[in-house]
Amino acid sequence: MKNIITDITPAQAVSMQADGAMLIDVREPDEHALGLPRNALAIPRARLEQDPTAYIPNYDHKVLLICGSGMRSMLAAEKLAALGYSNLFNVLGGFQRWSTEQLPREDNNLDQDFTERYARHLRLPQVGIAGQKKLEQAHIVLIGAGGLGSPAAYYLAAAGVGNITIIDNDLVDKSNLQRQILHTEASIGSPKVDSAAASMHALNPRIKIRTQQARLDTDNVRSIIADADVVIDGSDNFPTRYLLNDACVELAKPLVYAAVQRFSGQMSVFDAGRQRGSAPCYRCLFPEAPNGEDAPNCAEAGVLGVLPGVMGLLQATEAIKIILGIGQTLSGRLLQFDALSMRFSELRIPVDEECPCCGISNH
Ligand SMILES: [Zn+2]
């Protein structure tokens, strides 16, 4: 058993971390509170030994264990080896030596709430501690706390997006409850932004929620999105979509768009503001609003209650990817969803050089 546990120095641990190894600090919470090696997972030894698969994705994943001086981490490594983990390293001298050698430490200590709450994210190499901190520092602005905004906001709160602003002018109506899952029977008649904030805080008290009970208009749109990292369009009318699109292009904000009607939905990411000339905007897709008969809203046409749930969660997914900088976004593609046939399809959205908003000829 011994020969599958390798002793390493703290400095070696730092370079192995850079190559993707997972560093776990098995000391107790009160010790963690006094400081941690940078990007270490703080998991007390008893908790780790009780349920290691909750924290370590694969039995052959490279795992570096550290404690105060190197004793407890060695015992933890032996336990993990007995459980079948095969790629284990013990940091000699522990956090004492780490500190003496002035190796990088956490500025903001990861508290136990962070480690437990986001445990499933921390297991993903594409997210990890660095990604989860990005989410925690990010600011997403949601236009609308209705059918699309509700599921999007709920999951963004759960995912740990640290700053969320919601703007909505409406009060909760009984007919909303069939799909707007942030609101409950008890919140009928109260502002949607209040009901939304209460539900999100109940789910994740770590995050900051700013609300504005207002309608988006030309006077407030720029200040509302000014310090957003991502903007999510959960509105249900064309004037708001154009207003938001134009402001996002002007202020270089990625815009995650979706719309639903009856049994179908569509969505895209419009990133023309940051990628002028190579990514389209909403007006490249729809230069003009269709007239009312061609484009009834949900109140007029009806909508299957689960549909905005599907599309809103896809919006949240794109927003999270943009913040983490992972994968490919829907920029330049229109995703269409038909619930009745259960089919997703995709259209390419070319950049319109004559676009009245982002067209090169306008600048
Ligand atoms: Zn455009």
Side-chain angles (χ1 to χ4, degrees), residues 280-281 283-284 352 355 357-359:
C281 81
R283 283 188 196 269
C284 294
D352 179 3
C355 174
C357 177
C358 75

Side-chain angles (χ1 to χ4, degrees), residues 90-143:
N90 182 41
V91 181
L92 292 173
F95 190 60
Q96 284 169 19
R97 181 166 167 191
W98 187 287
S99 301
T100 308
E101 295 182 5
Q102 299 190 335
L103 294 169
R105 295 170 53 145
E106 285 298 338
D107 303 327
N108 306 317
N109 297 336
L110 298 180
D111 54 275
Q112 195 170 347
D113 180 79
F114 181 99
T115 313
E116 277 187 50
R117 184 179 300 272
Y118 304 126
R120 298 300 179 276
H121 266 178
L122 301 181
R123 290 177 62 169
L124 297 170
Q126 296 87 343
V127 184
I129 293 172
Q132 191 63 47
K133 284 185 175 174
K134 268 191 207 167
L135 291 175
E136 197 161 65
Q137 283 149 18
H139 179 206
I140 292 185
V141 172
L142 267 146
I143 310 305

